[in-house]
Amino acid sequence: MVLGSMAPRRRWLLLGLTALAVVALVTAGAVVVTRLTGDSTPDRSAPAGSPSAPPAGTPSASPTGPPPGAGITGPLNLLLVGVDTRVSVPGWEPHADAVLVLHVPKGLGRAYLFSLPRDLLVDIPAFPKADYAGGKTKLTHAMSFGSRVPGKPKQPSTAQGYELLRSTVSGYTGLRIDAGAVLTFTGFDRLVTALGGVDVYIDQRVASLHRRPDGKYRESVPGGYTGPQMVYEKGERHLNGWQALDYSRQRYITGGDYARQRHQQQLIRALTRKILDEGLARQPERIDQVVAALGDTLIYVGGRRIVDLAYALGGVPEDRFVAVGLPGSGVGKGSAYRGEQLTSVGKKFITELRAGRADAYLSANPTLRIKT
């Protein structure tokens, strides 16, 4: 099969399953793959430890040779991360604001996407590269602790931070992480804007902590923010770039961070549907616009080339892409609050996933499925 023979619709969906965002790495990765397989222009992603390094050369079409990723049979585990980099603050260390895992069982016929709370209390292993001795703290800190470059306090490395986050997630879930992608808040805003916005069903009223109705940031005051708030009312809504980003960030709402995780996964599916329904992969000029908009806000990290993983996952049917919400609860209260922990039902899902019994477990616990 030649490289160009796979249907564009499938190419967008498969990398939509491999590459978020904050949350929209799904769509961001699809853009990169389409560009990789469409011409010889280098993609803008980078391997672990070197965010600016050029990727391996793109494959050339061959009417007789196997397609990229032909030898990948699974299982695969991809770590998808949305980070708050606050580039306006010199030396700001990236924080993992959205942490999602995509698990594809052996045979590559199904995919499960689940989020881990940013405040999940975990054991973060020692990381000599960053002079970090290890400790038990919130998951989000793994990215920031790992990003520290000894001797360069004002030059944190997001790719290096991802390494420690990957080790931490792998240790907690028992899953080997094969590859992943990191998208900054700026990248998510640019992505949704370049795609013309996104239609999503807002399942609860959400008042923004950060933005005014005109999109400008609310004034920061001691103890919080002041001024009029952007409000996302329940129902079908069309969100532009800053609105989608703002909506996906809100966690001081009913349901807290667990509601935010649900909203992020709903946005992922909404973006994927938009790409498929509008046939954007067949519009080269739109692809160019989106790639240009992303710039260096997307980092791909993995041993395999992103195009190999994309083609390997080309057979995952859309109706077998399952979004899962893992329930949790706080550890300690008030000033003694330390973070979050998954409930026994949430933790057992990961155990059953590793054992290949996820479908049976979801059938017995249907509330874990996120309606998108």
Side-chain angles (χ1 to χ4, degrees):
M1 179 175 66
V2 298
L3 277 174
S5 65
M6 183 173 287
R9 178 182 177 88
R10 174 173 290 182
R11 285 206 300 268
W12 279 81
L13 176 60
L14 54 87
L15 199 49
L17 300 181
T18 65
L20 173 213
V22 182
V23 216
L25 289 177
V26 171
T27 313
V31 171
V32 176
V33 168
T34 304
R35 185 58 175 271
L36 273 171
T37 57
D39 59 35
S40 59
T41 304
D43 85 71
R44 300 170 184 265
S45 58
S50 179
S52 60
T58 57
S60 58
S62 169
T64 57
I72 300 176
T73 59
L76 288 173
N77 298 293
L78 310 179
L79 178 60
L80 315 174
V81 187
V83 299
D84 176 6
T85 54
R86 301 196 190 182
V87 293
S88 62
V89 181
W92 178 266
E93 296 170 353
H95 289 63
D97 228 47
V99 180
L100 297 95
V101 176
L102 181 72
H103 173 76
V104 186
K106 185 176 181 179
L108 311 180
R110 184 176 287 272
Y112 303 89
L113 180 70
F114 64 91
S115 300
L116 294 175
R118 69 185 299 278
D119 290 343
L120 185 66
L121 196 60
V122 294
D123 290 310
I124 301 179
F127 192 58
K129 281 187 179 181
D131 286 343
Y132 177 65
K136 194 177 188 68
T137 185
K138 297 175 181 178
L139 179 62
T140 185
H141 297 320
M143 173 71 80
S144 53
F145 291 160
S147 73
R148 297 171 182 172
V149 179
K152 299 180 180 180
K154 299 296 183 181
Q155 301 177 46
S157 167
T158 299
Q160 184 176 291
Y162 172 88
E163 289 185 54
L164 181 55
L165 181 65
R166 177 184 61 198
S167 297
T168 303
V169 170
S170 182
Y172 181 82
T173 63
L175 299 171
R176 181 198 70 241
I177 303 300
D178 301 287
V182 181
L183 188 69
T184 68
F185 282 174
T186 300
F188 182 70
D189 187 337
R190 291 178 183 177
L191 172 63
V192 177
T193 297
L195 291 173
V198 61
D199 297 316
V200 63
Y201 178 75
I202 294 177
D203 59 13
Q204 68 182 74
R205 185 179 186 273
V206 174
S208 173
L209 181 70
H210 311 97
R211 301 268 195 164
R212 293 169 22 180
D214 61 3
K216 293 181 180 179
Y217 283 97
R218 300 177 70 211
E219 182 182 353
S220 178
V221 297
Y225 300 86
T226 187
Q229 293 176 271
M230 174 65 186
V231 176
Y232 304 93
E233 299 289 356
K234 184 175 180 179
E236 294 286 349
R237 306 291 179 211
H238 179 81
L239 305 181
N240 62 24
W242 72 260
Q243 290 170 337
L245 170 61
D246 185 49
Y247 174 68
S248 71
R249 291 184 64 192
Q250 304 309 312
R251 64 189 178 110
Y252 296 104
I253 56 178
T254 302
D257 192 49
Y258 299 97
R260 179 172 68 165
Q261 294 171 39
R262 183 177 71 249
H263 296 161
Q264 290 169 350
Q265 295 197 37
Q266 289 168 341
L267 276 169
I268 288 176
R269 295 303 302 273
L271 283 166
T272 302
R273 283 194 298 269
K274 179 182 179 72
I275 286 176
L276 297 179
D277 292 344
E278 297 186 10
L280 298 182
R282 299 180 180 87
Q283 304 174 41
E285 70 285 353
R286 293 294 309 283
I287 296 170
D288 286 337
Q289 290 171 6
V290 175
V291 170
L294 287 175
D296 61 359
T297 60
L298 172 71
I299 297 174
Y300 169 70
V301 195
R304 293 274 191 172
R305 292 175 306 174
I306 197 169
V307 67
D308 291 332
L309 290 173
Y311 271 77
L313 297 181
V316 179
E318 186 177 5
D319 62 355
R320 293 191 178 182
F321 176 45
V322 183
V324 180
L326 303 182
S329 60
V331 179
K333 296 181 179 180
S335 61
Y337 175 76
R338 298 175 58 204
E340 295 293 310
Q341 62 184 353
L342 294 184
T343 65
S344 58
V345 173
K347 291 177 69 174
K348 190 172 181 182
F349 168 77
I350 298 176
T351 300
E352 296 300 289
L353 184 75
R354 290 199 310 267
R357 298 189 293 264
D359 284 343
Y361 191 71
L362 290 174
S363 294
N365 298 273
T367 58
L368 294 183
R369 286 179 178 263
I370 293 178
K371 296 180 180 180
T372 57

